[in-house]
Amino acid sequence: MITDDLEIEKHTRCIEVIGQIEDEGYEEILSPDALNFLDAIVTKFNARRNELLALRSQRQQRFDQGELPGFRADTQSIREDKSWSVAPIPLALQDRRVEITGPVERKMVINALNSGAKVFMCCFEDASAPTWENMVDGQINLRDANSRTISYTDLKKGKHYSLNKDPALLIARPRGIHLPEAHIQINGQPIAGCLMDFALYFFHNYKARQAQGLGVYYYIPKLECMEEAQWWDDVFSFTESYFKVPTGTIKATVLIETLPAVFQMDEMLYAMRDHIVAMNCGRWDYIFSYIKTLKNHKDRILPDRHGVGMDQPFLTAYSQLLIKTCHQRGALAMGGMSAFIPNKNPEVMAQVVTKVVEDKQRESGNGHDGTWVAHPGLVNTAMEIFDNHLSGKTNQLDFHSPTEEITAEMLLSPCNGSRDEAGVRKNIRIALYYIEAWIQGYGCVPIYGLMEDAATAEISRASIWQWIHHGVELDDGQTFTAPLFRQWLNEELDTIRSEVGDERYNKGRFEETAQMFDELSTTEEFAAFLTLPSYSLLTEGSFNRKNE
C-alpha cells in the first residue's frame, strides 16, 4: 500500500473513470491506489488551477486593450536580491548537453532512449495527441522504460526493439494546465490533464527510480507567471509528503515558452527553488505566444514564421536573458529545438547539417548548457558542437553573460521579414497536415523535412488570424483578407490531395480539418489554443469505442 489504511479510510474517492479500461495494462495504471492519489491531488489543486486560468484570461484582456507585458513591480525585491539560489542540482541532471524529445509511443520511446542523447524528454503534451489510448499507453510505456523492461516487436518489419545498456535519462512532460482530461471526471467534470499525467507517472515510477538512485524528473510547459510556478511547486511538495519521500525527490525543468513568463523567470525560480533545476527556451511555442499575447498590437506583427529564427534580436534577447537569469541562480539554461530530420538526399542532408551546426554553435556560444533535437540522427551532430565548446565540461554554469541589461523593449521588439503569398500558402498546408494528423491521434508529424508538433500549427493559424484581423499588406501589395485566405485554403486542399493521393485524402479528415482551421483563423474571438476546440474531435473515437 502506498498510503496507510487510516488515510484511505478517511478519504472518500469521488473520481470516475469514463474511458475504457479493458485494454491490457490499463487496470494496473488505473489501480485503486493510483486513483486514490489522483483523486486527492485533483481535489486539493483543481480549484486553484481554475483560478489561475481565469487570471490568464484577465491578463490577456489587458494586453488586448493595449497594455504590454513587462517586469513586475510587486516582485522587484526577488529579482534584486542576489543572495538566493535554487537547490543544488543532482548529479544525474548536471550533464544535459543534448536532449531528444518525442511522443509517448512505445517504439519511439525505445529509439529515443537508445539515441545517444543525455536526456529523453518524453512528451504527453505537444508531441502526443491526448487520446485516451495515447495517455494510458504512454504511462505503461514509461513505467516499463523506468523498470528497464520495455521492448517492442514490429511484426511487419520483423524487427525487435529493446533498451541498450546506457539509455538516456528519462524526463516526462505532462500536459499544460489548460488542457482537460475528459475520460476521468470528478462530480461530472473533466480533471486537469496535467494532474493525470503527473500523478500517474509519479505513482508508478518513483520506487523504480529510487532504486536506481534517481528522483522523478519533469518538464513543465506553458507557464505564464510566478503563481502558476508556485502551484506546481505546491503539487510537488504535496506529492512528496503524501508518499513520505524527501523534499527534492521531484525535480523540474520549466519551459519558458510564453511571452508573459520571460518577464518572471527570477520569480519562477524563486517559487520553485526547492525543486527546479533548469529552464528551457521553448522557442516555437514562444513565437506563438508572442503573436497570441500581442495579437491586437498592430505595431508588433511578426513576418512569416519561416523568417523568424533565433538570430532575430527579440529572440536573441530572450535566449540571453534566460541564460543570465538561470546561471545567476544556479540553474541550467537549456537551448531550443532543432526540428530538422535527416534526409536521404546528400545535398539536402548537407543543408540540414549546416543549419543544425549554425543553430547549436549560436546556442553554445550564447552560454546554453545543452540543446534539443527531434531525431536520433542529429544527436551526434549537436553533441559534437557542445563537446567542442565545453572542452571537457558537462555544462557551463560558470558562464557569465554580458552585463548589458536586457530590457522589456528588447524582448517586445518585432522583426522584419517577408509577408508573401508563398509563405502563407505553406503555413496553410503545414497547419492542415498537422491538425489532420492530430485529430487522428498523432502529435509528432514529419512535414516537409521537419518534425512538427502542436506549436507549428499554432504559429500558422495565429499568424493568419492576426494578418486577417489587421488587414496586413503582403509584399506584392495584396491586402490579406478572410476571402483571400479561404480561396488559398481551398486551393491548398487540392495541393494536399495531389501530394497524398486520392485514397489517403478520402480516408483522412482534411476537409473537416479545413473547416475548423477556417473557423479558428477568421473568428472575431481568438481561441487561446487550437487543441481546446479540437479536443472534442479527438475524443470522439474513445467514447464511441466504449459505447459500441
Side-chain angles (χ1 to χ4, degrees), residues 482-511:
L484 184 60
F485 162 67
R486 290 193 177 104
Q487 175 189 331
W488 291 351
L489 177 64
N490 289 327
E491 290 170 358
E492 291 312 311
L493 271 177
D494 292 336
T495 301
I496 288 173
R497 181 190 284 272
S498 69
E499 289 180 346
V500 304
D502 287 341
E503 182 178 0
R504 165 70 178 88
Y505 185 91
N506 292 330
K507 287 183 177 179
R509 302 175 71 177
F510 289 105
E511 293 184 6

Side-chain angles (χ1 to χ4, degrees), residues 121 137 188 295 364 485 536:
M121 192 280 287
D137 286 343
K295 62 182 182 291
S364 59
F485 162 67
S536 60

